Amino acid sequence: MNKIAFFLLLLFSFTNCSKDSYDATKSSYSYYYPTNEAEITASQIGDGTGKLDPKGIAIANDKLYICNGDVLEVFNAKTLTFLKTISTYSKGTTSVPFTKLSSISIDNGRIYLGSVDSRLFVIDENTNLGISIVGNGQWWNTFVHVFGVAVKDGLVFVKEKSTTIKVFETSQITETSNWNIAPIAKLNTLQGFDEIYSMDIDTGNLVIAGRNTKGYLYYKLTDIRANATNSLTTPINPTVVPFADTKPLAVSFSTDWAVTSEYKGGLNYLCLYPKEEFMTKTYNPRINASDVLGENPFGTIVSTAQLDDRLFLADNTNKKIRIIKLNQSAIVEQR
């Protein structure tokens, strides 16, 4: 038996499995397991002589966007063909170089780019031309750095240094809006300092991978809107179920899954939770893997995304985007 077949047998027998249904005459099991599909490294960008330092990633309209130091890389997410490097915010006669990009979110035709240099760049998804910049690059003004961004349902969430998330409405950011707009609400992440933070929004909740709180942080959007004014004085706390020794590092939502990365026991794990269970804080991952078939252990995964049966992982330790195929095997046992 070859190595791949051996590990598949182990996976089917002991790990990464779930029982989907049961009746008196048969049991039906679905097993999920990851296999290596492809990877993106610096050699595939431009002339291949640069670097890849992946931070936040996002997929929209079959394009993969990668925050890579001071530039934004764009790939075709299906063919993995390199498309372009975007290095500058351009609007009319205004040109501002991107620097220290930490995070990205795409919503309603806009790309929101967080910069550690205390800026949020907002550009048009189709033309890549500038719409607005929030913050002027001075940490004592609008933002104290930017370590994460998530946008959906008319709200913009910007993670700052320490434990603060500032909340804006997308309608505040226009072609003519000021760089120093005021937040409508503030959230408290309980712990944190100057780490890149991963967050996403689904089913009416903002969810954050709280590495320092050792748990996933949940904030209901309805509660944020209802308590927005008071939160400017006393930021809103999350609901969190702490893990004993696990640090969530990244989270994103697809149609069916919460795709996460976690650090535990000295290893980095790719974890997939059924989204409905995850939203009720039932943490029973269907995939919980520190490597693929016993090889190529994961480094620190700071951002995740999914397109069809492909999982995209920003592996910052190994300086690559790992593309993992999500496989499913169904087994029916007759009784």
Side-chain angles (χ1 to χ4, degrees):
M1 181 181 296
N2 63 38
K3 180 178 288 188
I4 291 178
F6 173 74
F7 279 109
L8 284 175
L9 180 61
L10 288 180
L11 285 165
F12 289 156
S13 301
F14 302 109
T15 67
N16 300 338
C17 63
S18 63
K19 182 184 290 186
D20 285 344
S21 63
Y22 173 80
D23 63 32
T25 61
K26 64 182 180 180
S27 298
S28 178
Y29 302 86
S30 287
Y31 297 88
Y32 298 92
Y33 60 96
T35 54
N36 287 312
E37 178 81 358
E39 64 182 29
I40 294 173
T41 65
S43 64
Q44 293 153 263
I45 299 172
D47 63 4
T49 62
K51 297 180 179 180
L52 179 58
D53 183 23
K55 298 292 195 308
I57 63 173
I59 294 175
N61 295 314
D62 294 336
K63 291 181 180 178
L64 169 67
Y65 298 84
I66 306 168
C67 293
N68 179 24
D70 297 335
V71 299
L72 180 67
E73 312 291 2
V74 187
F75 282 77
N76 183 304
K78 290 190 171 181
T79 66
L80 305 184
T81 304
F82 173 72
L83 298 177
K84 67 171 74 173
T85 295
I86 307 172
S87 59
T88 304
Y89 171 94
S90 299
K91 179 182 178 182
T93 59
T94 300
S95 181
V96 181
F98 292 150
T99 57
K100 298 179 183 177
L101 298 181
S102 63
S103 45
I104 181 171
S105 185
I106 302 172
D107 178 72
N108 199 27
R110 290 178 169 186
I111 299 173
Y112 297 79
L113 282 170
S115 164
V116 175
D117 285 339
S118 302
R119 283 190 173 108
L120 178 69
F121 297 99
V122 184
I123 65 177
D124 185 274
E125 182 186 350
N126 294 317
T127 66
N128 301 146
L129 295 177
I131 295 173
S132 187
I133 302 176
V134 185
N136 69 345
Q138 296 176 324
W139 62 265
W140 55 89
N141 284 317
T142 313
F143 300 121
V144 184
H145 312 298
V146 174
F147 291 110
V149 60
V151 186
K152 196 173 184 180
D153 295 337
L155 296 175
V156 181
F157 299 90
V158 180
K159 177 68 175 72
E160 292 189 288
K161 186 176 181 178
S162 191
T163 61
T164 304
I165 292 177
K166 288 181 176 175
V167 186
F168 305 86
E169 292 183 311
T170 55
S171 59
Q172 291 177 272
I173 304 173
T174 68
E175 295 273 358
T176 58
S177 57
N178 188 277
W179 61 265
N180 196 26
I181 60 176
I184 65 163
K186 291 183 181 180
L187 311 180
N188 181 6
T189 61
L190 305 179
Q191 300 288 334
F193 191 59
D194 60 357
E195 306 90 350
I196 303 295
Y197 262 62
S198 175
M199 29 187 204
D200 202 0
I201 301 159
D202 205 286
T203 60
N205 289 270
L206 169 71
V207 181
I208 299 174
R211 63 178 70 200
N212 295 294
T213 51
K214 295 184 179 179
Y216 293 99
L217 314 180
Y218 297 75
Y219 307 80
K220 289 186 177 297
L221 302 191
T222 53
D223 290 346
I224 293 171
R225 291 189 181 277
N227 298 287
T229 301
N230 290 339
S231 74
L232 296 175
T233 302
T234 304
I236 297 170
N237 288 337
T239 300
V240 56
V241 179
F243 297 123
D245 60 357
T246 297
K247 294 183 178 182
L249 304 181
V251 60
S252 66
F253 296 108
S254 62
T255 302
D256 300 313
W257 301 100
V259 184
T260 78
S261 71
E262 299 174 356
Y263 180 80
K264 49 192 172 184
L267 297 172
N268 293 285
Y269 285 81
L270 165 67
C271 301
L272 259 72
Y273 298 90
K275 188 165 63 175
E276 290 186 2
E277 293 181 13
F278 186 87
M279 284 303 185
T280 60
K281 305 175 187 63
T282 300
Y283 301 118
N284 177 26
R286 300 306 193 267
I287 285 182
N288 183 32
S290 61
D291 54 36
V292 178
L293 301 178
E295 298 179 341
N296 300 321
F298 296 120
T300 302
I301 302 168
V302 295
S303 188
T304 63
Q306 181 175 354
L307 179 64
D308 301 327
D309 63 353
R310 283 175 160 183
L311 308 175
F312 293 75
L313 314 177
D315 187 333
N316 191 259
T317 302
N318 295 305
K319 305 303 180 187
K320 64 177 65 175
I321 304 297
R322 293 186 63 169
I323 298 96
I324 304 298
K325 184 178 180 181
L326 174 61
N327 300 275
Q328 178 181 358
S329 179
I331 298 178
V332 178
E333 295 179 355
Q334 298 291 338
R335 289 176 177 266

